């Protein structure tokens, strides 16, 4: 009772050879919010694979605002597009002045003012105006808006156009273990922080909080002897965990009341976050300014005046020294 229930993604088409949406260069466009962990992860894969020349992308402003401001009966607030240097944005209550920085990339493809416009252009009937969105330029429609499926398609389907086709985040050897780990990481950590933050009863909050920190304790022990979750190789599961943990101390600990411990209180988890952050492709998709601005300015009922706290969390540029764990694992095998 009072628990947070995530709405399922409504667009689940696949890019596949011989299908309705075949893999082609310059056919697809990715709409993302750098603040969103699910969306930022898809852009990470795009960079890891070197697909910038084959798949274009747009980046939303981090602050949600009214998507139909001229209709007083339509109160939906969500992701919207601005260009660098546009006038600052206020939150839904009219408070704050949140800059339009150089990380923003407006929608030059469809000219959408907000992500909702894209869903309506595609005749969406679900109404979850979320990111990421994988868009087909040829058919002018949404292919998929489920981040896990977009990750897999970017990894598997565009190797003919990738600068780094050798990068594989889904190695066969670790898939079984990855799925087993994900069976508790997703519901209690990735989604667990949202279950804490958007609980509407004390009972639901305490249940989510207990499961979250039980899983963090488990992951801290798990990562004591291995560099990544399934061993020496970085996979999709590490990417998903990273994008949750990097937001934890500056946002989830305070804003979502996930405050029993910080990630910097877990030596192995902190080392893991630093290790992953220091990959160039990951660093490019970790925008702490956007992360903090989104959460602290987009939910007007939780933070009416849009005040953004000062801390960015631990210094992620400190060497992790976790590469030695890869050597140990290789020697053992």
């Amino acid at each position: 009772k009072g628990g947070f229930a995530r709405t399922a993604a409504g667009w689940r088409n696949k890019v596949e050879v011989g299908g309705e949406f075949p893999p082609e260069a310059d056919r697809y466009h990715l709409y993302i919010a750098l603040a969103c962990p699910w969306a930022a992860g898809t852009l990470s894969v795009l960079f890891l694979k070197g697909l910038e020349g084959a798949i274009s992308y747009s980046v939303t402003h981090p602050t949600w605002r009214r998507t139909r401001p001229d209709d007083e009966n339509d109160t939906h607030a969500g992701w919207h597009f601005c260009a660098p240097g546009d006038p600052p944005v206020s939150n839904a209550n009219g408070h704050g002045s949140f800059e339009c920085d150089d990380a923003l990339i407006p929608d030059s493809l469809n000219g959408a003012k907000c992500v909702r416009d894209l869903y309506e252009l595609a005749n969406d009937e679900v109404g979850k105006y979320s990111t990421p969105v994988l868009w087909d330029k040829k058919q002018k429609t949404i292919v998929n808006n489920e981040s896990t499926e977009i990750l897999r398609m970017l990894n598997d389907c565009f190797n003919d156009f990738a600068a780094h086709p050798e990068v594989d985040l889904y190695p066969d050897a670790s898939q079984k273990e990855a799925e087993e780990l994900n069976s508790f990481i997703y519901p209690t950590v990735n989604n667990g922080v949202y279950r804490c933050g958007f609980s509407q009863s004390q009972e639901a909050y305490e249940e989510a909080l207990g499961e979250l920190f039980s899983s963090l304790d488990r992951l801290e022990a798990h990562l004591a002897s291995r560099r990544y979750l399934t061993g020496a190789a970085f996979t999709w599961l590490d990417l998903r965990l990273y994008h949750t943990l990097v937001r934890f101390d500056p946002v989830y600990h305070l804003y979502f009341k996930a405050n029993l411990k910080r990630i910097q209180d877990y030596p192995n988890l902190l080392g893991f976050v630093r290790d992953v952050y220091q990959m160039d492709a990951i660093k490019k998709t970790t925008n702490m300014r956007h992360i903090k601005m989104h959460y602290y300015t987009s939910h007007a009922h939780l933070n009416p005046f849009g005040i953004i706290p000062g801390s960015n969390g631990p210094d992620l540029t400190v060497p992790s020294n976790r590469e030695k764990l890869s050597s140990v694992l290789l020697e053992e095998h």
Side-chain angles (χ1 to χ4, degrees):
K1 184 178 179 180
F4 168 70
R6 184 173 296 279
T7 303
W11 294 81
R12 310 296 288 272
N13 300 303
K14 294 182 179 180
V15 174
E16 56 187 352
V17 175
E20 182 182 1
F21 302 101
E24 296 175 9
D26 199 33
R27 174 165 177 167
Y28 300 99
H29 189 86
L30 191 62
Y31 290 99
I32 72 108
L34 288 171
C36 170
W38 324 111
T42 63
L43 191 61
S44 297
V45 176
L46 187 142
F47 289 151
L48 285 166
K49 296 287 290 190
L51 287 168
E52 301 95 313
I55 300 174
S56 52
Y57 61 94
S58 297
V59 177
T60 69
H61 192 283
T63 300
W64 284 355
R65 67 178 178 186
R66 292 273 299 278
T67 55
R68 297 293 179 264
D70 297 330
D71 184 349
E72 63 180 18
N73 297 316
D74 191 330
T75 59
H76 176 263
W79 303 111
H80 63 98
F81 298 102
C82 294
D86 278 357
V89 173
S90 299
N91 75 357
N93 289 341
H95 297 299
S97 179
F98 310 116
E99 66 181 338
C100 293
D101 63 16
D102 290 341
L104 303 178
I105 304 177
D107 180 25
S108 58
L109 179 64
N110 291 301
K113 300 299 183 185
C114 59
V115 168
R116 178 179 179 176
D117 290 346
L118 300 169
Y119 281 80
E120 294 186 353
L121 184 61
N123 298 313
D124 176 73
E125 297 180 351
V126 177
K128 183 189 180 186
Y129 308 129
S130 60
T131 64
V133 170
L134 184 64
W135 182 270
D136 179 16
K137 300 176 185 179
K138 186 173 289 188
Q139 296 196 42
K140 297 183 184 299
T141 193
I142 296 170
V143 179
N144 197 293
N145 68 336
E146 168 50 55
S147 62
T148 55
E149 294 174 4
I150 296 174
L151 289 179
R152 189 67 193 250
M153 286 185 275
L154 293 176
N155 183 80
D156 293 353
C157 301
F158 296 93
N159 283 331
D160 287 347
F161 320 110
H164 306 293
E166 74 283 357
V167 172
D168 182 10
L169 300 180
Y170 294 81
D172 291 339
S174 64
Q175 267 302 94
K176 184 174 185 293
E177 183 181 11
E179 293 293 350
E180 290 171 352
L181 289 167
N182 191 53
S183 70
F184 82 87
I185 292 174
Y186 172 74
T188 64
V189 180
N190 300 131
N191 199 45
V193 292
Y194 290 90
R195 290 171 56 217
C196 289
F198 294 118
S199 291
Q200 295 184 5
S201 74
Q202 189 69 30
E203 181 183 12
Y205 163 71
E206 291 180 358
E207 178 181 5
L209 187 73
E211 291 178 357
L212 169 62
F213 281 93
S214 176
S215 291
L216 291 178
D217 290 343
R218 180 177 173 182
L219 290 168
E220 171 71 7
H222 183 82
L223 288 167
S225 59
R226 47 179 66 195
R227 185 175 184 179
Y228 301 118
L229 288 166
T230 58
F234 179 76
T235 73
W236 63 275
L237 190 63
D238 300 296
L239 179 68
R240 297 260 294 177
L241 180 62
Y242 164 82
H243 275 294
T244 295
L245 298 187
V246 77
R247 289 160 171 74
F248 197 98
D249 288 10
V251 176
Y252 303 145
H253 179 269
L254 172 64
Y255 196 53
F256 283 178
K257 309 178 189 70
N259 61 355
L260 297 183
K261 291 182 183 178
R262 304 163 301 172
I263 296 305
Q264 57 191 300
D265 298 321
Y266 290 99
N268 297 321
L269 291 179
L270 176 57
F272 169 84
V273 172
R274 284 172 167 159
D275 191 18
V276 177
Y277 172 79
Q278 290 166 26
M279 299 179 187
D280 288 342
I282 308 300
K283 188 181 298 183
K284 286 171 64 176
T285 55
T286 304
N287 187 314
M288 196 56 69
R289 177 71 177 158
H290 277 224
I291 289 168
K292 290 169 56 182
M293 189 182 293
H294 165 62
Y295 286 98
Y296 289 111
T297 70
S298 293
H299 313 112
H301 64 294
L302 295 181
N303 192 21
F305 295 99
I307 305 300
I308 303 174
S311 175
N312 287 338
D315 183 357
L316 301 181
T317 65
V318 174
S320 71
N321 298 317
R322 288 183 61 80
E323 61 275 3
K324 62 187 178 184
L325 293 175
S326 293
S327 300
V328 171
L329 281 164
L330 290 172
E331 288 172 5
E332 290 177 349
H333 292 82

